[in-house]
Amino acid sequence: MPHPISASDAGRPAVTGKVPDDLLRVSDLDPETLAELLDLAAAMKQEPLGWERDLRGGAIGCLFEKPSTRTRVSLATAAHRLGMTAIVLNRDEMQLGHGETVADTARVLSSYLDAVTVRTYDHATVEQMAEAAAIPVVNALSDTHHPCQSLADLLALREHFGSLAGLTAAFLGDGASNTCNSFLAACAAAGMHLTIASPQGYPTDPDILGEAREVMAQTGGSVALTTEPVDAVRTAQAVYAEVWVPMDKPHERDERAVRLAPYRVDDALLAHAPREAVALHCLPAVRGEEITSEVLDGPRSLVWNQAANRLPTAQAVLHSLVTTNRRRIA
Ligand code: CP
């Protein structure tokens, strides 16, 4: 049952651009819509309960196939702040984990919920969910994309530097990771200049690179690839470290620890970066591996605000997708 948007919406920031049906990848958002989402998130950070009447009585499902702290709690709290209930769904406790198809599950959940968020191993699962669902589907992390994280990253950078266009950033580590893919797309939309420093054998997907370069041709951003961490940070205003061993690749731990060691973000590496450079990490961190405690807890760390920004950005995503979908079906 659609709920009307409250009259008190007048004058508040709103996403007026092309809100997608689902948020599976950062590139589902055009640059203007992404910027509006960040504006809305900033407003929600200032006034967390200012939108609580809009979606009162609604509900979201948070389907998790693997562990999460930040994503799960930020999405659930965001839903609560918008007047909605969040139901955490574990795959193994659902019929989904016992043979029911993703598509059948999506159809049924669409009759109970206003949105479903999905953390999964295989990106195809969120795509199947989105294909079959009549409600917005939000990717809460798949093997190839982590859009919710990138929105929080951009908000933290915008708060720190004042604007995003023209900022320089370096991503160190696995250039094929979900976090890297989404940060690349976010930098593209924001008109930023990104250098990805990865060892041989950890290349960024050429299709994702090509897509980002197309967006950068419009926004003025750029992306460069290198194997040299010092070269990558030399002009970087933001240096992004990421966990070396993803949840779905524990068997690669030993090899990754060796191959990725030169890409550790520590004070010695940051000494090559501009004085103003800040450190980013999506968390959870393995202290002493991809980032040291001296950086994580030090004055250049933007990490804790990145994590904090998961909440207002989740709130902005849920609000814009759910209200837009309700208008569509009204
Ligand atoms: N950054 C992130 O997605 O954290 P969680 O795995 O705790 O959700």
Side-chain angles (χ1 to χ4, degrees):
M1 169 74 73
H3 296 221
I5 304 303
S6 70
S8 64
D9 279 356
R12 295 186 310 180
V15 179
T16 58
K18 192 168 177 294
V19 176
D21 293 344
D22 309 289
L23 181 62
L24 306 190
R25 309 152 51 109
V26 171
S27 57
D28 290 333
L29 300 165
D30 62 41
E32 295 76 22
T33 307
L34 187 147
E36 285 188 330
L37 259 182
L38 294 181
D39 291 341
L40 179 59
M44 288 173 161
K45 189 171 179 178
Q46 291 296 316
E47 193 187 351
L49 298 181
W51 284 256
E52 71 175 332
R53 290 192 298 159
D54 293 4
L55 302 173
R56 185 176 290 171
I60 69 164
C62 302
L63 173 57
F64 282 81
E65 292 183 351
K66 48 186 176 177
S68 168
T69 298
R70 280 144 289 271
T71 309
R72 183 191 308 226
V73 178
S74 61
L75 284 165
T77 308
H80 178 70
R81 287 185 174 180
L82 294 169
M84 296 191 288
T85 294
I87 303 166
V88 175
L89 307 165
N90 296 307
R91 184 186 175 105
D92 290 343
E93 294 168 3
M94 301 173 68
Q95 300 299 359
L96 186 60
H98 300 274
E100 187 165 20
T101 68
V102 171
D104 289 352
T105 304
R107 280 186 210 122
V108 173
L109 292 182
S110 298
S111 35
Y112 308 145
L113 302 172
D114 293 276
V116 63
T117 72
V118 183
R119 171 166 287 201
T120 180
Y121 289 96
D122 185 353
H123 190 74
T125 302
V126 279
E127 291 181 330
Q128 288 164 19
M129 187 71 83
E131 180 68 28
I135 53 175
V137 174
V138 176
N139 181 1
L141 181 145
S142 66
D143 55 346
T144 51
H145 296 279
H146 198 0
C148 296
Q149 180 63 51
S150 301
L151 294 176
D153 301 343
L154 289 187
L155 184 59
L157 287 171
R158 202 178 76 163
E159 287 172 341
H160 185 80
F161 289 105
S163 61
L164 294 171
L167 271 186
T168 51
F171 186 97
L172 301 198
D174 182 353
S177 69
N178 44 22
T179 304
C180 185
N181 290 340
S182 287
F183 189 62
L184 167 60
C187 290
M192 291 171 55
H193 303 288
L194 176 66
T195 301
I196 301 171
S198 308
Q200 297 286 353
Y202 296 83
T204 305
D205 184 296
D207 291 341
I208 292 174
L209 263 179
E211 199 173 73
R213 285 191 165 122
E214 276 181 28
V215 175
M216 284 164 162
Q218 303 161 30
T219 63
S222 66
V223 56
L225 307 180
T226 180
T227 56
E228 299 298 326
V230 171
D231 288 350
V233 305
R234 227 183 275 284
T235 59
Q237 293 165 287
V239 177
Y240 206 131
E242 199 207 0
V243 67
W244 290 341
V245 187
M247 282 180 268
D248 54 345
K249 295 183 177 157
H251 52 286
E252 295 183 11
R253 158 159 280 289
D254 292 348
E255 185 186 352
R256 282 173 173 263
V258 172
R259 302 289 309 284
L260 291 163
Y263 300 84
R264 173 180 296 117
V265 175
D266 56 16
D267 279 347
L269 182 66
L270 288 182
H272 296 281
R275 193 184 296 270
E276 63 174 330
V278 295
L280 301 172
H281 192 302
C282 70
L283 298 176
V286 182
R287 290 170 179 259
E289 287 203 350
E290 74 278 0
I291 191 167
T292 57
S293 289
E294 65 198 2
V295 173
L296 198 54
D297 301 324
R300 305 176 96 168
S301 174
L302 222 56
V303 174
W304 308 107
N305 195 37
Q306 254 181 292
N309 284 345
R310 295 295 305 271
L311 175 51
T313 49
Q315 206 175 338
V317 165
L318 289 175
H319 186 275
S320 55
L321 266 64
V322 172
T323 53
T324 300
N325 190 53
R326 285 183 176 184
R327 284 191 200 103
R328 279 186 193 126
I329 61 178

